[in-house]
Amino acid sequence: ITAKGQPIVYYGEELGQTGANNWPLQENRYDMNWSIANNDNDMLVHYKKLLDIRNKNTDIFAKGTRKTIAIDNDNKTLVVSRTYGDDTLYVGFNINDTAEREVELTLNKTSVYADLYNNVEYTTDENGKVVVTLPAAKNGGTVVLKLIKSVDSTEE
């Protein structure tokens, strides 16, 4: 959903459904389980959040460039920037299922960033450094930071 282009969701994926993975047999996906299509389904909530963020930042995700900002294979984390025109989002992922991870980033000096995924704000120091908490994968494993205020300006 955060990759360039049009996102593709194979039916049931947004509900956490899987299949037998035995191509070319026709058991790759089971019938749609509509009983789990509700807000108690963490996977569905995750997809809804990401799709809402994408819809509000369409150009960045559909057309923007992608640059790796921080990667730690041992801790299973990745932070990338997505930029289009003058707008940049920082997208962080933690695929460790049980442990949240902290990542230090250098962004704009003395600025406030909103995490659009977790509804948290982060403020950078005078050097632009900030420590961002990436939740465990079982808790979404995602942050999406957007600049909302910098020392040189008011709300963006």
Side-chain angles (χ1 to χ4, degrees), residues 90-102:
Y90 297 91
V91 183
F93 305 99
N94 176 9
I95 61 169
N96 185 302
D97 193 46
T98 58
E100 69 180 30
R101 301 289 189 206
E102 291 187 339

Side-chain angles (χ1 to χ4, degrees), residues 57-150:
N57 299 278
T58 303
D59 285 344
I60 290 174
F61 287 116
K63 304 176 193 175
T65 59
R66 179 183 184 267
K67 179 181 173 187
T68 299
I69 302 299
I71 187 168
D72 184 340
N73 289 327
D74 293 335
N75 286 313
K76 301 178 180 179
T77 60
L78 171 68
V79 179
V80 299
S81 65
R82 296 299 316 270
T83 302
Y84 184 75
D86 294 331
D87 296 320
T88 298
L89 295 178
Y90 297 91
V91 183
F93 305 99
N94 176 9
I95 61 169
N96 185 302
D97 193 46
T98 58
E100 69 180 30
R101 301 289 189 206
E102 291 187 339
V103 177
E104 183 178 79
L105 303 173
T106 302
L107 306 174
N108 293 343
K109 297 178 181 178
T110 319
S111 298
V112 179
Y113 287 83
D115 177 356
L116 304 177
Y117 186 91
N118 298 292
N119 297 316
V120 177
E121 287 187 358
Y122 291 96
T123 303
T124 62
D125 66 16
E126 63 278 356
N127 297 313
K129 296 209 181 286
V130 63
V131 176
V132 175
T133 302
L134 300 175
K138 71 176 182 176
N139 296 322
T142 307
V143 298
V144 180
L145 301 178
K146 182 174 187 168
L147 178 67
I148 57 172
K149 185 170 47 173
S150 69

